[in-house]
Amino acid sequence: MKRIAILIVALISGFTILGFWAFSKLGGNIPVEIQLVENKPDNLAGLTYRGTPGNVELGKIFEKMETQKALHPGSQLHTIYEVEPAGKLDTMLVFVGINQMHPISDMEFRVFENRGYLLAQIKSSTWVMPSPEMVKEKLAEFAEANKLELSGIYIDKIISKNEVQVIAPIK
């Protein structure tokens, strides 16, 4: 009986150590880097989707914007979740676009007149990436510490599969 207890404790300890190692290896311990950028956020051209998260139409909008991204070298995919869904059947409102100086036909054009923005850089695997709420909390803490007021808009700039930047315009 004593050997079984020792074996169980050893296995639990081994799995715990392995879990912490994997979490760290995937970038889970990399802090969110935040900096103040004293420029206007990029203009965005894109499409707004209203519906449920699993709808085929949302996938089509992302595909269309990926095509536009390929047609405009140097552009990056951006998303603005105006209404985030709480579940799979809840309605969401999301703008999906690319950074552009000039409007693109058949697309919405969003211009930001803010005097600057906070930029949060997140570099880790999607498996261990911090939640949007955690990133917003870090941005709010940084803004408060630097006596800045956020506009309440959060723009996700998708750099790669393992890197996302969150742009939070300031008032």
Side-chain angles (χ1 to χ4, degrees):
M1 190 69 164
K2 191 174 183 180
R3 286 183 181 176
I4 292 174
I6 292 172
L7 180 61
I8 290 172
V9 168
L11 282 172
I12 290 172
S13 298
F15 283 129
T16 301
I17 291 168
L18 181 63
F20 281 121
W21 176 81
F23 181 76
S24 182
K25 196 72 172 162
L26 292 172
N29 291 326
I30 298 173
V32 176
E33 297 175 22
I34 299 175
Q35 63 185 18
L36 173 62
V37 178
E38 294 183 359
N39 287 326
K40 293 181 359 177
D42 289 339
N43 298 333
L44 302 176
L47 301 168
T48 297
Y49 168 77
R50 178 187 298 272
T52 57
N55 194 309
V56 176
E57 189 62 32
L58 179 59
K60 289 179 183 178
I61 288 175
F62 271 97
E63 287 174 13
K64 185 172 185 175
M65 294 317 303
E66 284 287 349
T67 301
Q68 287 296 322
K69 180 181 156 197
L71 295 172
H72 297 87
S75 63
Q76 296 290 332
L77 194 63
H78 292 69
T79 58
I80 303 172
Y81 287 87
E82 296 170 15
V83 176
E84 293 193 44
K88 292 181 181 180
L89 299 177
D90 289 338
T91 299
M92 66 186 292
L93 182 62
V94 61
F95 174 82
V96 182
I98 57 172
N99 48 315
Q100 283 297 294
M101 291 297 294
H102 305 288
I104 299 173
S105 63
D106 299 334
M107 292 192 186
E108 299 170 43
F109 191 65
R110 299 216 179 168
V111 178
F112 301 94
E113 295 298 333
N114 306 75
R115 61 184 171 93
Y117 59 91
L118 296 183
L119 178 67
Q121 296 184 12
I122 304 147
K123 296 178 183 177
S124 62
S125 169
T126 54
W127 291 96
V128 296
M129 206 169 268
S131 70
E133 292 79 23
M134 180 185 284
V135 175
K136 288 176 185 177
E137 185 178 304
K138 297 271 187 200
L139 286 163
E141 289 171 4
F142 186 93
E144 185 178 329
N146 291 281
K147 296 177 177 53
L148 301 169
E149 186 179 354
L150 297 176
S151 67
I153 297 171
Y154 298 93
I155 306 165
D156 297 337
K157 181 178 181 181
I158 303 163
I159 306 298
S160 69
K161 185 177 178 181
N162 294 329
E163 183 177 358
V164 175
Q165 295 178 350
V166 178
I167 298 165
I170 55 176
K171 290 183 179 180

